[in-house]
Amino acid sequence: MDQRNVTRITTIHLLGFQIPQSITFLVFFLLLMMYCVTICGNLLIITLVSYSKTLQSPMYFFLSQLAATDILLATDILPNMIHTVLVKQTIMSLSVCLTQYYFCVIAESSESLLLTVMSWDRYLAICRPLHYSLKINFQVCWTLAILCWILGIFVVLIYMSTISNLQFCGPNIIDHFFCDFVPILQLSCSDNSTIQLEATIFGFILVIFPFFLIFVSYSYIIVTILKIPSITGRQKVFSTCSSHLTVVSIYYGTLVCVYLAPSSGQTQTLNKLLSLLYTVVNPMMNPIIYSLRNKELKKVVRKFIIDFLRICFSRD
């Protein structure tokens, strides 16, 4: 195709979920509540980890970084999604659409790497407790966290340079609730083999390889736990990593369903629902899972609420 004769599209029509008018405000209210719970829950995690002396450990530091990625992802997806529910479609510029996808990649890439680092932290704490304090401290934690964010941004920079060379000639309609990789490529009339190759390579580096490392880490952790003679001791040790294991299972389970499962038998609605799990539900559930399954965090949350209420009533 002669690139000089192609009319480049400048606006995108995002269709979102096509829901009946009768339940529009119900869906709007549910999504708004999910966004509020996501932001408040993850902000609470960050606040507690920052100011509570009992949560000054590498595990909770990485948890606060994970909460930051969840806030970024939810803020990138949900406000525009809520708007789309109300007006039935959203018209945005191509640059805004691509920017939404870029921030989604940063959040997802950083979260995948952080989950891997957290599994390494649990491996050292359970399988190599004598070496834990020597190999991991807050300087190491900050270095690893910054590397996770930098790698996520680095991936986006490569995507930006490749996508900027594509021609987008339509149709300019995306039947999705956010600008994802496949819908964006469907708008292009250029050869997209290069960016598909990049996506495959980065998918292996940022999803498949981290999942393999997490699997290996937990294989050693499970073997170590099984060697503990008492059932109470096993339960106590396993409780320190059960929350992380639950989050990992949900996160990678939804990614596999969306990107690795055969798409030929999936309807567009099913694809949207699966994408909803890792872009909206996961960021909301992560702080809830950690709060419900972690006794130390539950104690700090309870103390925080009691102190907050005491301050409020003392002012009255």
Side-chain angles (χ1 to χ4, degrees):
M1 182 180 293
D2 188 354
Q3 302 294 331
R4 292 171 298 181
N5 297 327
V6 171
T7 302
R8 188 179 178 91
I9 61 174
T10 57
T11 58
I12 302 295
H13 293 252
L14 204 63
L15 298 183
F17 285 98
Q18 302 303 302
I19 58 175
Q21 184 66 35
S22 58
I23 62 171
T24 295
F25 285 101
L26 174 61
V27 175
F28 165 77
F29 176 76
L30 288 175
L31 290 176
L32 183 61
M33 287 298 297
M34 291 175 72
Y35 183 55
C36 292
V37 170
T38 301
I39 298 302
C40 293
N42 284 289
L43 280 178
L44 179 62
I45 292 290
I46 294 173
T47 302
L48 292 177
V49 172
S50 300
Y51 293 100
S52 175
K53 294 181 179 179
T54 59
L55 299 181
Q56 297 299 310
S57 67
M59 180 177 70
Y60 294 110
F61 170 81
F62 290 126
L63 178 59
S64 68
Q65 295 297 311
L66 188 68
T69 66
D70 288 335
I71 291 174
L72 174 61
L73 183 60
T75 303
D76 183 49
I77 302 294
L78 267 170
N80 187 71
M81 183 180 176
I82 294 172
H83 177 264
T84 306
V85 167
L86 288 178
V87 300
K88 301 305 178 187
Q89 72 170 8
T90 294
I91 300 176
M92 62 174 66
S93 67
L94 178 63
S95 60
V96 171
C97 180
L98 295 177
T99 300
Q100 184 187 50
Y101 172 65
Y102 295 150
F103 277 104
C104 181
V105 173
I106 291 175
E108 290 293 337
S109 302
S110 301
E111 180 161 353
S112 179
L113 295 171
L114 282 169
L115 288 174
T116 308
V117 172
M118 292 172 75
S119 70
W120 177 69
D121 171 75
R122 291 300 82 206
Y123 164 78
L124 288 178
I126 296 173
C127 302
R128 298 287 186 271
L130 298 179
H131 299 86
Y132 183 76
S133 59
L134 297 176
K135 291 189 176 182
I136 190 164
N137 52 50
F138 277 101
Q139 183 178 356
V140 174
C141 291
W142 273 109
T143 302
L144 291 173
I146 292 172
L147 282 176
C148 290
W149 285 101
I150 288 177
L151 283 174
I153 296 172
F154 175 73
V155 171
V156 166
L157 292 176
I158 294 178
Y159 273 137
M160 287 176 62
S161 63
T162 306
I163 291 179
S164 62
N165 292 323
L166 297 178
Q167 287 286 343
F168 294 93
C169 52
N172 63 339
I173 297 175
I174 291 182
D175 187 10
H176 213 307
F177 61 87
F178 77 106
C179 294
D180 202 3
F181 180 71
V182 173
I184 289 175
L185 287 191
Q186 290 173 348
L187 306 181
S188 173
C189 50
S190 303
D191 179 21
N192 53 35
S193 58
T194 301
I195 194 168
Q196 286 182 335
L197 177 61
E198 289 177 357
T200 302
I201 294 173
F202 286 125
F204 177 82
I205 295 174
L206 298 173
V207 179
I208 305 299
F209 186 64
F211 177 76
F212 173 75
L213 293 179
I214 293 173
F215 178 80
V216 172
S217 297
Y218 272 99
S219 297
Y220 281 103
I221 289 172
I222 291 173
V223 170
T224 302
I225 291 176
L226 291 176
K227 291 180 180 178
I228 300 175
S230 67
I231 297 177
T232 304
R234 294 177 188 175
Q235 292 176 342
K236 184 177 180 181
V237 173
F238 183 74
S239 65
T240 64
C241 58
S242 59
S243 299
H244 177 258
L245 186 59
T246 303
V247 170
V248 167
S249 301
I250 296 174
Y251 176 78
Y252 284 102
T254 54
L255 284 184
V256 167
C257 291
V258 174
Y259 293 110
L260 299 182
S263 58
S264 56
Q266 295 182 8
T267 63
Q268 185 60 25
T269 301
L270 178 59
N271 187 270
K272 291 180 187 179
L273 290 174
L274 292 173
S275 299
L276 190 69
L277 290 176
Y278 79 88
T279 57
V280 177
V281 178
N282 276 8
M284 179 185 69
M285 291 302 299
N286 286 351
I288 296 176
I289 291 171
Y290 274 98
S291 298
L292 292 178
R293 300 181 67 90
N294 189 293
K295 292 182 180 179
E296 193 172 23
L297 191 57
K298 282 195 291 186
K299 290 181 182 178
V300 175
V301 170
R302 193 180 300 114
K303 182 178 183 301
F304 178 82
I305 294 175
I306 292 173
D307 291 344
F308 178 76
L309 293 176
R310 185 182 293 117
I311 294 173
C312 290
F313 283 113
S314 64
R315 288 180 179 178
D316 294 337

